C-alpha cells in the first residue's frame, strides 16, 4: 500500500486529479467562501496565497497522504478537494476530509468525489477503515457521507463554539466490508 501514486479518478460528473501550484488561486477563493469558512475554519494570518501555492504544489510529493483536486468533468473547473490523511499503516486506516466551493454545490459533485476517493482507498490502497469528523450542524455534508456509506460512531457533544453557540462534532466511519456490501446504486 502506498500513497505515493497520485491517481486520476474519473466519474460521470467529476474527475479527481493531482493538485498543482496553479490550483492555488482557485483554492484561495474556495477556502475564503463563507460556507467553507463556517464549516471548516477561518483562515488565520499565516495563510497566504504564496503558502497555498507551495502547499498545493507539494501535494504530489507526499507519500503518506492523498490530496486530489475535484473538478467538474464537463468544464474542467476546479470546485474543491478530497483528502485521505493521518494514515495509520498498522490499522490500515486513515481520515477523510473534503471541501467543495459554491460552484460545485448542489449538483452531486461532492457525493461522487467522496465515493470515488473512498472506493480508491478500499480497492486500490487496501484500507480497512476510513473515518471523518463533521460538525453536527453541517447537514449537507452528513447527507453526503451517509449516502456514501459512512455511519455515525459517536458524537462529541458541544465540542466547540461558533458565534456563541455550542456545536457537536460527529464521528463517522466506513469499513472495507461495509463498502464492499454496498450496491453500486447505493453509492
Amino acid at each position: 500500500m502506498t500513497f505515493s501514486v497520485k491517481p486520476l479518478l474519473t466519474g460521470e460528473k467529476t474527475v479527481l486529479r493531482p493538485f498543482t501550484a496553479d490550483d492555488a488561486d482557485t483554492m484561495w477563493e474556495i477556502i475564503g467562501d463563507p460556507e467553507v469558512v463556517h464549516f471548516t475554519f477561518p483562515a488565520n494570518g499565516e495563510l497566504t496565497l504564496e503558502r497555498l501555492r507551495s502547499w498545493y504544489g507539494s501535494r504530489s510529493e507526499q507519500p503518506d497522504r492523498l490530496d486530489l483536486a475535484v473538478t467538474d468533468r464537463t468544464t474542467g473547473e476546479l470546485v474543491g478537494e478530497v483528502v485521505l490523511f493521518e494514515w495509520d499503516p498498522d490499522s490500515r486506516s486513515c481520515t477523510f476530509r473534503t471541501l467543495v466551493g459554491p460552484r460545485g454545490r448542489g449538483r452531486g459533485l461532492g457525493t461522487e468525489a467522496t465515493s470515488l476517493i473512498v472506493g480508491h482507498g478500499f480497492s486500490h490502497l487496501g484500507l480497512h477503515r476510513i473515518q471523518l469528523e463533521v460538525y453536527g450542524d453541517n447537514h449537507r455534508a452528513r447527507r453526503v457521507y451517509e449516502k456514501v456509506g459512512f455511519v455515525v460512531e459517536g458524537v462529541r457533544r458541544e465540542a466547540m463554539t461558533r458565534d456563541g453557540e455550542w456545536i457537536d462534532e460527529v464521528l463517522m466511519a466506513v469499513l472495507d466490508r461495509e463498502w464492499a456490501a454496498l450496491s453500486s446504486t447505493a453509492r
Side-chain angles (χ1 to χ4, degrees):
M1 174 178 160
T2 180
F3 284 88
S4 295
V5 175
K6 308 304 180 187
L8 183 72
L9 305 176
T10 304
E12 291 180 19
K13 300 176 182 182
T14 61
V15 174
L16 307 184
R17 62 163 175 77
F19 274 106
T20 69
D22 292 338
D23 294 320
D25 292 320
T26 302
M27 289 306 298
W28 177 260
E29 290 176 25
I30 291 170
I31 290 168
D33 171 67
E35 186 172 320
V36 170
V37 171
H38 182 78
F39 289 122
T40 56
F41 57 89
N44 63 32
E46 297 175 12
L47 186 63
T48 64
L49 186 53
E50 206 45 52
R51 285 183 185 228
L52 278 184
R53 280 193 185 99
S54 176
W55 174 260
Y56 286 109
S58 71
R59 297 303 83 204
S60 292
E61 302 163 10
Q62 306 305 312
D64 61 343
R65 58 184 289 141
L66 178 59
D67 300 73
L68 295 176
V70 178
T71 64
D72 181 312
R73 183 174 175 178
T74 304
T75 65
E77 179 182 21
L78 173 61
V79 298
E81 68 181 5
V82 289
V83 182
L84 295 176
F85 68 110
E86 294 180 344
W87 175 39
D88 181 340
D90 294 329
S91 64
R92 295 181 18 237
S93 69
C94 67
T95 301
F96 169 75
R97 73 172 176 79
T98 184
L99 58 87
V100 175
R103 292 186 298 273
R105 294 186 197 126
R107 301 187 289 140
L109 303 179
T111 301
E112 184 177 84
T114 300
S115 182
L116 285 170
I117 196 165
V118 168
H120 179 77
F122 289 130
S123 63
H124 289 62
L125 299 176
L127 293 173
H128 170 67
R129 171 189 168 87
I130 300 174
Q131 62 200 21
L132 62 85
E133 295 176 7
V134 60
Y135 295 126
D137 62 343
N138 192 344
H139 304 293
R140 179 192 319 226
R142 288 185 62 184
R143 277 192 306 276
V144 167
Y145 302 145
E146 288 167 355
K147 278 192 243 179
V148 172
F150 284 88
V151 297
V152 173
E153 294 187 327
V155 177
R156 290 189 188 125
R157 299 175 304 137
E158 299 183 0
M160 65 164 288
T161 60
R162 183 190 319 115
D163 301 325
E165 299 284 327
W166 286 105
I167 306 296
D168 294 342
E169 288 180 347
V170 180
L171 311 174
M172 302 178 79
V174 60
L175 304 176
D176 54 358
R177 67 178 172 272
E178 294 167 339
W179 178 261
L182 291 174
S183 70
S184 61
T185 58
R187 288 187 228 160

